[in-house]
Amino acid sequence: MAGRLEGKIALITGGASGIGAAHVTRFAEEGAKVISGDIQDDLGATVVEEVCAAGGEAIYTHLDVTDEAIWAAAIQLATDTFGGLTTLVNNAGIYHPGGVEEETREGWERMIAINQTGPWLGMKAALPALKACGNGAVVNISSLFGIIGSPGSLSYHATKGAVRLISKSAALEFVGEGVRVNSVHPGQIETPIIGDLTPEADAAIKAAIPMNRMGRPEDIANGSLYLCSDEAAYVTGTELVIDGGWSAY
Ligand SMILES: NC(=O)c1ccc[n+]([C@@H]2O[C@H](COP(=O)([O-])OP(=O)(O)OC[C@H]3O[C@@H](n4cnc5c(N)ncnc54)[C@H](O)[C@@H]3O)[C@@H](O)[C@H]2O)c1
């Protein structure tokens, strides 16, 4: 355990898979006590078991980010189990394609509920505990698609752009109260959310990325780790793009 997050108590959403699971693992490796929340309970529990077997401290709880009552219970669990909360990573998210004409009202509202309302409810529920600890940090996982547009993913762009700006607004709201808020913007990362790509699509994505590979979940967790550590004590309201150089063109 390297200890860059020693003393931190971190609630991580979407901790069962992909980028969230990498956060659970990396944060625990660096000494944080972790509460992992997700709706995929078996997978989430397995990730936590592996972390504990490796010497980390983590628990899993069922957490649907759209449910305000469950958020309150998760914060209470952190307090009851570990004595408080210092850190929140709003990572849970979904993706489905759909342009202006293809997206349905139902699809739009589901995307907003999970990707946008979820992080807001998380901050709302966690902020009393984060303020109380005197040195709180929030990372909201947005996307490169929260900064630039692309055709055919309208509601995803809407939610990720919103996450970028609610992060900056919350950062300014709580700057005097000991809570930092930042957003992280992954490029294309190898996780289940991107689905099964054809070899052609896979090659086209890699060709567009200067580093010529997709990112790994750990690449994103390492960025959040910095932002949640005291190394980032002077960093709030910023956006960290982790995309292999994709947006540098
Ligand atoms: N993989 C990428 O290329 C990429 C790029 C940019 C941003 N992101 C963002 O990273 C985050 C993590 O995605 P990932 O790539 O690890 O995908 P993933 O599908 O592997 O993980 C997403 C997790 O969120 C959980 N989740 C979904 N709905 C939930 C809900 N209502 N409540 C709680 N948990 C819920 C899922 O069960 C899953 O475990 C998402 O916000 C995603 O938009 C991913």
Side-chain angles (χ1 to χ4, degrees):
M1 300 293 151
R4 288 169 67 200
L5 295 178
E6 206 62 59
K8 304 296 184 193
I9 304 162
L11 175 54
I12 297 165
T13 69
S17 173
I19 293 169
H23 277 74
V24 172
T25 304
R26 284 294 294 127
F27 277 40
E29 281 172 357
E30 294 292 341
K33 297 180 168 86
V34 176
I35 304 99
S36 168
D38 205 298
I39 51 174
Q40 297 193 74
D41 295 332
D42 290 348
L43 216 50
T46 301
V47 171
V48 157
E49 275 165 28
E50 286 167 3
V51 164
C52 294
E57 264 191 89
I59 57 170
Y60 175 78
T61 189
H62 180 85
L63 170 57
D64 180 339
V65 297
T66 65
D67 188 326
E68 211 165 348
I70 295 187
W71 267 113
I75 307 299
Q76 191 61 50
L77 179 68
T79 305
D80 293 346
T81 311
F82 296 129
L85 188 73
T86 67
T87 309
L88 171 67
V89 180
N90 276 313
N91 161 79
I94 58 165
Y95 170 84
H96 58 248
V100 174
E101 292 171 293
E102 297 82 38
E103 181 59 294
T104 62
R105 182 74 184 248
E106 189 188 16
W108 169 272
E109 282 172 0
R110 184 168 138 73
M111 192 81 82
I112 302 275
I114 295 172
N115 290 8
Q116 181 175 332
T117 307
W120 165 55
L121 290 179
M123 290 194 289
K124 188 178 167 77
L127 268 155
L130 298 179
K131 285 192 275 188
C133 84
N135 188 15
V138 177
V139 164
N140 292 321
I141 304 295
S142 173
S143 170
L144 181 58
F145 281 7
I147 299 176
I148 62 168
S150 75
S153 306
L154 188 78
S155 53
Y156 188 75
H157 280 283
T159 61
K160 293 302 183 176
V163 167
R164 173 174 174 266
L165 278 182
I166 63 173
S167 302
K168 290 184 194 299
S169 299
L172 294 172
E173 198 173 329
F174 296 102
V175 72
E177 296 184 80
V179 181
R180 299 180 297 101
V181 185
N182 294 290
S183 57
V184 168
H185 300 259
Q188 199 80 38
I189 313 301
E190 276 173 353
T191 75
I193 210 173
I194 61 175
D196 291 330
L197 297 172
T198 63
E200 294 75 28
D202 185 65
I205 289 169
K206 287 177 182 154
I209 300 171
M211 285 193 182
N212 206 28
R213 69 164 175 89
M214 289 197 207
R216 303 177 188 106
E218 295 72 24
D219 293 323
I220 309 307
N222 285 330
S224 300
L225 196 164
Y226 162 69
L227 290 170
C228 291
S229 77
D230 293 339
E231 296 160 23
Y234 196 55
V235 182
T236 198
T238 198
E239 50 197 71
L240 177 56
V241 176
I242 305 176
D243 68 350
W246 196 4
S247 56
Y249 283 118

